Amino acid sequence: MQERNPSTDLVTFGETMALFAARRTGPLRFARDFDLGVGGAESNVAIGVARLGHAATWVGRVGADEFGDLIRTTLMGEGVSTHAIPDPGAPTGLMIKGRRTADLIDVRYYRRDSAGSRLSAADLDPELIRSARVLHVSAITPALSASAREAVRHAMTVARAAGVTVSLDVNYRRALWTPEEAGAWLREVAGDVDVLFATEAEGRLMAEVEGAEELAKALAGMGPRHVLLKFGAQGALELSGGVVRRAEPYRVTEVDSVGAGDAFAAGWLADWLAGADPERRLATACAVGAFAVTSQGDWESLPRRADLALLHSPADGVNR
């Protein structure tokens, strides 16, 4: 069963996997207990945008298996309009997350020949893309397969022709392709991108430029109207309309940093959809990213609007 929505604020697509997170710190071979959930860069963004009050849609292929059903019911339960296409010929991909030490998270993917990697342009509804205000994609999807790469280009072409804003998060995965391959593809599509999210290291896949502001300007010169550079615990930078703005990070206790970049993108896009000014949307992006690292899981601690004020709670950490 799929939940259909004739229009949406944000549409995204990609691979979402079943996520096994080890409860014990140490080598995975000694893990005995795991928490089962779901995780995927694009669906993380969809959940984040939905929690912040906007209509979000996720499209993807899943196995005709229990993990595919888990992904479908989880996303629908989070208010995301879900177009999960069951693939009887391939399994749902797996993500295994361990904590090698208290400070080092080890993530392993089992996604070769998975259902998600078989995504194609035929799986995408052009009318759904045209009805959206934002198309959000990541550079993970084109690295999965030739058909998935074609799907991303097709979606971007449809969005551009319809005047839909195109958002791209670099989200580089070295297990999927080389820096040279990723950089070449990113430079190829940059002219069709309106909003670009990247870390400094990811940005330098596209342009070998020293200095964060200089890098942002070089990336903007390739086409994006908004360039967002993420510095993790050091905050973030936005270049829009030729103006560079910086935001300081929120000080929180980090538990699990996986998914923080997706959360940042969700916060920024939600405030852009709400018509917020540049300072507000950058601050919200940093706040949502801060929430994401405060608990286990890729998306579970993503905030709702009312939660954002909690980052300004009393110094003793107790709300009364």
Side-chain angles (χ1 to χ4, degrees), residues 66-213:
E66 288 291 319
F67 296 142
D69 290 342
L70 173 64
I71 290 168
R72 183 182 298 106
T73 58
T74 298
L75 297 185
M76 290 176 65
E78 286 296 322
V80 175
S81 181
T82 304
H83 299 223
I85 303 159
D87 187 336
T92 301
L94 301 180
M95 183 185 341
I96 314 297
K97 184 190 294 185
R99 189 174 288 276
R100 185 61 182 83
T101 70
D103 301 315
L104 178 62
I105 294 175
D106 179 22
V107 181
R108 299 170 185 267
Y109 301 97
Y110 297 85
R111 65 201 314 178
R112 185 183 298 275
D113 298 322
S114 66
S117 71
R118 289 156 57 126
L119 185 77
S120 72
D123 296 324
L124 306 179
D125 179 356
E127 288 307 314
L128 177 63
I129 296 171
R130 295 185 188 109
S131 74
R133 295 174 62 192
V134 176
L135 169 71
H136 177 74
V137 298
S138 85
I140 296 172
T141 306
L144 295 175
S145 66
S147 67
R149 187 174 304 189
E150 180 186 355
V152 175
R153 291 297 278 144
H154 173 69
M156 294 172 75
T157 299
V158 171
R160 295 290 291 182
V164 175
T165 294
V166 176
S167 166
L168 169 66
D169 193 337
V170 173
N171 246 324
Y172 176 64
R173 296 290 184 268
R174 64 177 179 272
L176 295 176
W177 53 358
T178 67
E180 293 75 21
E181 290 171 325
W185 185 85
L186 289 162
R187 288 188 293 271
E188 176 187 323
V189 303
D192 291 328
V193 172
D194 298 296
V195 184
L196 179 69
F197 297 95
T199 65
E200 277 193 88
E202 290 171 341
R204 291 194 175 94
L205 294 173
M206 303 172 66
E208 287 288 344
V209 179
E210 294 298 323
E213 293 191 12

Side-chain angles (χ1 to χ4, degrees), residues 284-303:
T284 298
C286 288
V288 177
F291 267 98
V293 307
T294 58
S295 71
Q296 297 283 359
D298 286 18
W299 54 267
E300 283 81 350
S301 62
L302 291 174

